[in-house]
Amino acid sequence: MTTIAVAETPLVLSLLRLADTALVHSHRLSEWCGHAPMIEEDLALANFALDLLGQARALYAYAAEVEGAGRTEDDLAYLRDAPQYRNVLMAELPRGDFAFTILRGLFLSAWAHPFWQAATGSTDTQIAAIAAKAEKEAAYHVRHTGEWTIRLGDGTDESRRRMLAALEALWPYTGELFEADAADRAMIAAGVLPDPARIRPAWEATIARVFDEALLPRPADGWMQTGGRSGRHTEHLGHMLAVMQHLQRAYPGCSW
Amino acid sequence: METITQRIEPVTKGADPARLVEAARAAAARVVDPEIPTISIADLGVLRDVRLGADGVVEIDITPTYFGCPAMRLIALEVEAAVERAGCGRPRVNLVLSPAWTTDWITQAGRDALLEAGIAPPPPAASRRALFGEDTPVACPNCGSHDTILISEFGSTACKALRRCQSCGEPFHAFKCL
Ligand SMILES: [Zn+2]
């Protein structure tokens, strides 16, 4: 089985973290295609997935260009194994029910929106260009998942029960969104990527606003899960990649 | 009426550069959005620039409406074919991300074409909107009523939302503001 080893400079690593989070989340959303509770939502989740896939492609293409080893976006997506993936753990958790999917979408897009907004001012022109597009798309994702969170949280007993269960399951994964290690700090110092600590107030404000209307309690910040950004994943990612990468693994180099 | 000879007369590389670029621009501008075939990529604001490269090859910049827009690859291929068919040689088609596409780039002709296709054009000059709260009212492309409601933020493609008119009862697509 071909598996590539990418030379992870701080910039390449940062790009992979962003791209992997977008791709893995996109794949989880795409699993709803044909299964959503109604046709409008089927389309919405598929479009949400498509936006993230487009962002991932742009980020992978740039990561490949920066690495300079002649790789393509496809190589990075299909020829790395779970330990080489750098996405946050929240993105890889199994699809779950609709409440879980919506709340995960809210947590991730409420982070992505201010992140990309700040990244439009990046000293790296390619990142600034990607951010300017991603920011606009993320705004729609926040609106959509925010509105559904309110409907489900302040909905029926059953929808509220499911929302509360999703909240309990997902909250321990929110801490990883705001971590910064040496690579992150190098990128922050160079003005390439925003400081997650400065993204947090906007994220908190969006969550507070939505939770307030959804009648959901903001949990206390207890012990947080971590590791995805360094390649320490849950057992779920390997299974997901087995499906996602199957075609390239079975028929190396095949194309449509 | 133009004759066949006139129609296929190639604009060669020896031709006047201004004429070559003009012919290439005209050919590229006629390519339509495969998902909304009533609107050309020029009127959609997707065609950003047509120029002559230093090597005499026509260079064309296009920009995606949405990152994941699956139509971009087809648009690039069709631009390539249209320019070549116009006798301007095979162009280089670049996908540019910056500046980011905005609905403000849709021309008046483009807005009319959308309306004709039953798609409500985006509210003009309002490419930035609040994260939460009410939108600018959208008029029904069928009866013109402003009494319309949002059914879904995402329609059949990423660039359109699904709405329904409260006056005539018709559901319709509205181009999203970006
Ligand atoms: Zn109407």
Side-chain angles (χ1 to χ4, degrees):
Chain A
M1 193 170 84
T2 328
T3 297
I4 57 173
V6 178
E8 291 180 338
T9 61
L11 179 55
V12 170
L13 176 58
S14 300
L15 289 167
L16 288 177
R17 284 169 168 171
L18 294 167
D20 290 344
T21 296
L23 178 66
V24 170
H25 187 205
S26 168
H27 190 88
R28 287 304 190 202
L29 286 166
S30 76
E31 290 174 350
W32 279 97
C33 196
H35 301 278
M38 57 195 190
I39 184 77
E40 289 82 3
E41 214 35 46
D42 215 284
L43 290 170
L45 293 176
N47 274 311
F48 189 171
L50 199 57
D51 283 346
L52 294 178
L53 185 64
Q55 293 171 14
R57 287 187 60 184
L59 291 160
Y60 282 135
Y62 186 42
E65 186 191 321
V66 173
E67 194 203 5
R71 285 192 245 275
T72 67
E73 54 190 91
D74 283 349
D75 294 338
L76 294 177
Y78 292 124
L79 300 179
R80 284 178 308 139
D81 241 328
Q84 280 90 48
Y85 261 71
R86 304 289 179 241
N87 56 282
V88 293
L89 296 173
M90 188 192 290
E92 74 199 43
L93 300 176
R95 188 178 83 178
D97 63 9
F98 185 62
F100 182 90
T101 294
I102 288 297
L103 192 62
R104 164 164 57 193
L106 176 68
F107 283 154
L108 289 175
S109 52
W111 165 83
H113 183 251
F115 180 88
W116 290 124
Q117 209 165 33
T120 57
S122 173
T123 51
D124 181 311
T125 54
Q126 184 64 13
I127 287 177
I130 292 171
K133 287 203 77 59
E135 180 241 331
K136 294 181 178 199
E137 297 175 359
Y140 275 101
H141 306 155
V142 174
R143 278 176 73 96
H144 187 76
T145 52
E147 279 159 16
W148 266 112
T149 300
I150 293 165
R151 282 171 76 177
L152 297 173
D154 186 18
T156 64
D157 286 347
E158 178 65 5
S159 73
R160 180 169 175 77
R161 183 187 69 74
R162 285 175 181 247
M163 216 8 129
L164 286 168
L167 179 55
E168 195 180 330
L170 283 166
W171 190 259
Y173 293 91
T174 56
E176 201 183 2
L177 296 172
F178 305 102
E179 288 176 0
D181 64 7
D184 295 308
R185 282 191 294 274
M187 290 294 97
I188 295 163
V192 173
L193 288 172
D195 184 345
R198 299 179 67 170
I199 303 305
R200 186 148 203 162
W203 184 84
E204 291 282 359
T206 301
I207 300 307
R209 178 180 174 145
V210 172
F211 276 25
D212 208 38
E213 276 194 70
L215 308 178
L216 291 172
R218 184 199 181 283
D221 288 321
W223 180 80
M224 290 285 172
Q225 295 277 3
T226 182
R229 300 168 82 251
S230 326
R232 294 191 310 280
H233 292 277
T234 67
E235 72 272 30
H236 308 297
L237 183 65
H239 293 284
M240 197 205 93
L241 293 181
V243 173
M244 194 186 86
Q245 299 177 334
H246 169 75
L247 207 65
Q248 280 303 321
R249 297 293 188 190
Y251 305 97
C254 76
S255 63
W256 292 106
Chain B
M1 223 173 99
E2 77 182 347
T3 66
I4 288 173
T5 354
Q6 278 168 330
R7 219 182 315 141
I8 62 161
E9 184 193 2
V11 184
T12 61
K13 283 186 184 164
D16 169 28
R19 197 175 143 230
L20 182 63
V21 168
E22 242 358 272
R25 187 191 310 277
R30 276 195 298 270
V31 171
V32 297
D33 180 338
E35 280 170 347
I36 316 167
T38 55
I39 190 168
S40 74
I41 59 166
D43 284 330
L44 193 55
V46 160
L47 180 63
R48 300 313 300 159
D49 192 35
V50 181
R51 60 186 178 275
L52 203 58
D55 54 359
V57 172
V58 173
E59 193 125 7
I60 295 175
D61 291 347
I62 57 176
T63 193
T65 53
Y66 280 73
F67 255 135
C69 181
M72 282 319 287
R73 204 157 154 193
L74 186 59
I75 290 175
L77 283 172
E78 293 198 339
V79 164
E80 220 176 277
V83 169
E84 215 176 350
R85 265 201 310 273
C88 305
R90 173 161 298 200
R92 264 194 301 273
V93 181
N94 311 310
L95 198 66
V96 296
L97 293 180
S98 182
W101 182 84
T102 148
T103 36
D104 293 347
W105 290 349
I106 302 178
T107 63
Q108 188 54 48
R111 301 172 63 84
D112 295 345
L114 285 175
L115 204 55
E116 207 174 305
I119 301 165
S127 55
R128 291 203 64 95
R129 47 187 266 170
L131 254 193
F132 294 102
E134 269 313 294
D135 296 328
T136 343
V138 179
C140 167
N142 186 44
C143 74
S145 165
H146 278 81
D147 187 12
T148 66
I149 54 161
L150 182 71
I151 298 174
S152 175
E153 200 73 81
F154 296 85
S156 59
T157 64
C159 57
K160 287 174 283 177
L162 196 60
R163 300 187 72 92
R164 189 189 301 116
C165 176
Q166 305 276 63
S167 299
C168 71
E170 199 69 24
F172 63 91
H173 273 124
F175 215 94
K176 291 199 303 212
C177 202
L178 204 68

